[in-house]
Amino acid sequence: MRGRRCPRMRRNVERRSAGFAIMAGPGAEGGAAEAEAAPPPIQGLQLVQQGAEARLYRGQFLGRPTVMKLRFPKRYRHPLLDERLSRRRTAQEARSLLRCRRAGISAPVVYFVDYVSNCIYLEDIVGSTTVRDFIISVQQSGKDASCLILLAEKIGEILARMHDEDLVHGDLTTSNMLLQPPPEKLELVLIDFGLSFISALPEDKGVDLYVLEKAFLSTHPNTEALFEVLLKKYSVASKKSAPVIKKLDEVRLRGRKRSMVG
């Protein structure tokens, strides 16, 4: 049993080292040393975010508003290994976005994938708001928060559909979910599939939900009831929810034991 988990554990470690949110606020801290004076790949693109694994540019591509994600070389890796990892992650992100759209899940359109420079050109969801900012705005306004319950149900339903397609996001946070304008319509778009992978294992899907739970509750305090609404909708909407929720409970227990040990 322990032997079977080793490949997945290595894969999880690799994914955690690569975190990068496509449309979430100002530049991240990681990878700054490799971003010095980096020119845009094509004219007219502007750097809007720097992550540990990639740079994010915004501009026009073939006359369309575009977000371009570029995975830059890592000097600490062997060049052949770095090229292989970057190409694989770029390809998997494109496949995951296409898989979402085929399943009826809103995700950015893939315009073009360049495997030479390891960059991907995506639809820019113009005027969108992150779910993170929307929840914070509603909480701070003091207005009726019933829309947040509807939003939680919408998220649960979409994640159920995604997991039923055996697609694991790998970095679920409220910053990696967008609301198309106007945000009150709650038209959700999933973004940043750079850490995604295909898996039918309930444990991988349970870990996906656990990552979201930890991010959700740390970013939005006192929203435990809201997240339970999300999980309840997920359980109803997913055809494979029972083993996933069971694994989520097991992952939670492991997390609590780890916290107690320190």
Side-chain angles (χ1 to χ4, degrees), residues 221-235:
N222 305 316
T223 55
E224 289 82 1
L226 199 61
F227 193 80
E228 285 304 314
V229 170
L230 186 158
L231 286 182
K232 184 176 180 181
K233 186 64 176 181
Y234 176 95
S235 299

Side-chain angles (χ1 to χ4, degrees), residues 79-93:
L80 292 178
L81 175 62
D82 180 70
E83 174 63 23
R84 187 178 301 171
L85 287 174
S86 296
R87 182 171 298 184
R88 187 174 69 188
R89 288 171 181 167
T90 300
Q92 184 56 53
E93 181 164 12

Side-chain angles (χ1 to χ4, degrees), residues 52-193:
E53 289 286 317
R55 302 185 193 106
L56 191 70
Y57 298 83
R58 179 176 277 123
Q60 294 282 319
F61 180 73
L62 299 178
R64 302 172 182 174
T66 299
V67 168
M68 196 278 284
K69 184 174 181 179
L70 171 68
R71 285 182 169 82
F72 50 82
K74 314 301 178 301
R75 297 171 186 168
Y76 56 85
R77 287 190 196 134
H78 188 283
L80 292 178
L81 175 62
D82 180 70
E83 174 63 23
R84 187 178 301 171
L85 287 174
S86 296
R87 182 171 298 184
R88 187 174 69 188
R89 288 171 181 167
T90 300
Q92 184 56 53
E93 181 164 12
R95 291 192 196 104
S96 296
L97 288 165
L98 293 172
R99 195 181 185 102
C100 273
R101 293 183 64 82
R102 282 198 300 266
I105 300 169
S106 292
V109 176
V110 178
Y111 292 145
F112 181 69
V113 181
D114 185 347
Y115 292 111
V116 176
S117 57
N118 292 313
C119 60
I120 180 170
Y121 294 78
L122 303 169
E123 173 190 12
D124 187 2
I125 313 299
V126 178
S128 61
T129 304
T130 65
V131 168
R132 174 187 181 278
D133 290 344
F134 181 76
I135 292 176
I136 292 174
S137 175
V138 171
Q139 289 178 326
Q140 290 179 345
S141 69
K143 297 179 181 178
D144 181 23
S146 59
C147 64
L148 295 184
I149 296 176
L150 296 176
L151 176 60
E153 291 180 339
K154 177 80 98 173
I155 295 172
E157 182 179 358
I158 288 177
L159 295 185
R161 198 183 309 169
M162 182 184 74
H163 282 173
D164 282 355
E165 292 291 319
D166 292 335
L167 177 59
V168 177
H169 187 280
D171 189 22
L172 285 174
T173 69
T174 52
S175 294
N176 285 338
M177 304 174 189
L178 302 180
L179 291 172
Q180 298 188 62
E184 292 77 16
K185 287 188 175 182
L186 303 181
E187 294 182 0
L188 202 67
V189 180
L190 295 185
I191 62 170
D192 199 357
F193 285 81

